Amino acid sequence: MKVVLRDEVPSLGRRGDICEVADGYAQNYLIPKGLAIRATRGSEREADAMRRRREIADAAVLSEAQEMAERLAGCNIRVVARAGEAGRLYGSVNAANLAAAIAEQERVVLDPEMLEIPEPIKEVGSYVVPVKPHPEVAAEVNVEVIAEE
């Protein structure tokens, strides 16, 4: 059965896509949950409109992410944290702390998930942290962790 997706369905498609699925899957899951409608000529025209709106929204999100990456590329962020004599931090600097420091210093609001920190920073020093505001856009931020005086 051909259906038009009204919402994103993992491993099947995105809003506005026309998909061929098993009759039982469409009638017992997709259509009752409101995730899809049966494909007709009218619904296919509606699907075209949904795809156009989705493409415009995706282009806007990509443009915003590129602008964000340009502002962040090569910027230096200073994070002050309590540390012991050997330079070891009492706590750690994680993605949420770093996102807050970037928002404060560079006026760019990031989700902590956009920062690719494999593990929290636990020592004083300089680090390069990759930032991915969009799957197609990346930048790097220089982070300097300084001991609190």
Side-chain angles (χ1 to χ4, degrees), residues 49-119:
M50 282 188 234
R51 277 194 302 276
R52 281 194 298 275
R53 284 193 301 269
R54 181 184 74 202
E55 289 168 1
I56 290 169
D58 288 349
V61 168
L62 179 62
S63 173
E64 183 179 320
Q66 288 172 337
E67 182 179 309
M68 188 182 299
E70 288 172 7
R71 288 181 60 192
L72 290 175
C75 72
N76 296 313
I77 303 297
R78 297 181 77 181
V79 178
V80 179
R82 290 184 45 211
E85 304 239 349
R88 192 109 169 108
L89 299 181
Y90 286 121
S92 64
V93 176
N94 59 22
N97 302 124
L98 192 52
I102 290 171
E104 180 183 319
Q105 295 174 26
E106 293 295 323
R107 307 286 189 254
V108 176
V109 179
L110 293 173
D111 285 334
E113 295 87 31
M114 293 179 184
L115 299 168
E116 295 184 347
I117 301 177
E119 58 186 47

Side-chain angles (χ1 to χ4, degrees), residues 3-76:
V3 294
V4 176
L5 297 180
R6 298 178 76 195
D7 204 356
E8 186 169 338
V9 178
S11 75
L12 187 58
R14 297 174 63 193
R15 180 181 172 99
D17 289 347
I18 299 173
C19 302
E20 185 74 35
V21 297
D23 291 350
Y25 184 53
Q27 293 173 350
N28 296 327
Y29 181 74
L30 294 175
I31 294 172
K33 294 260 187 207
L35 299 173
I37 56 174
R38 186 182 298 257
T40 62
R41 284 189 186 148
S43 64
E44 288 179 5
R45 282 194 297 272
E46 185 179 330
D48 290 337
M50 282 188 234
R51 277 194 302 276
R52 281 194 298 275
R53 284 193 301 269
R54 181 184 74 202
E55 289 168 1
I56 290 169
D58 288 349
V61 168
L62 179 62
S63 173
E64 183 179 320
Q66 288 172 337
E67 182 179 309
M68 188 182 299
E70 288 172 7
R71 288 181 60 192
L72 290 175
C75 72
N76 296 313

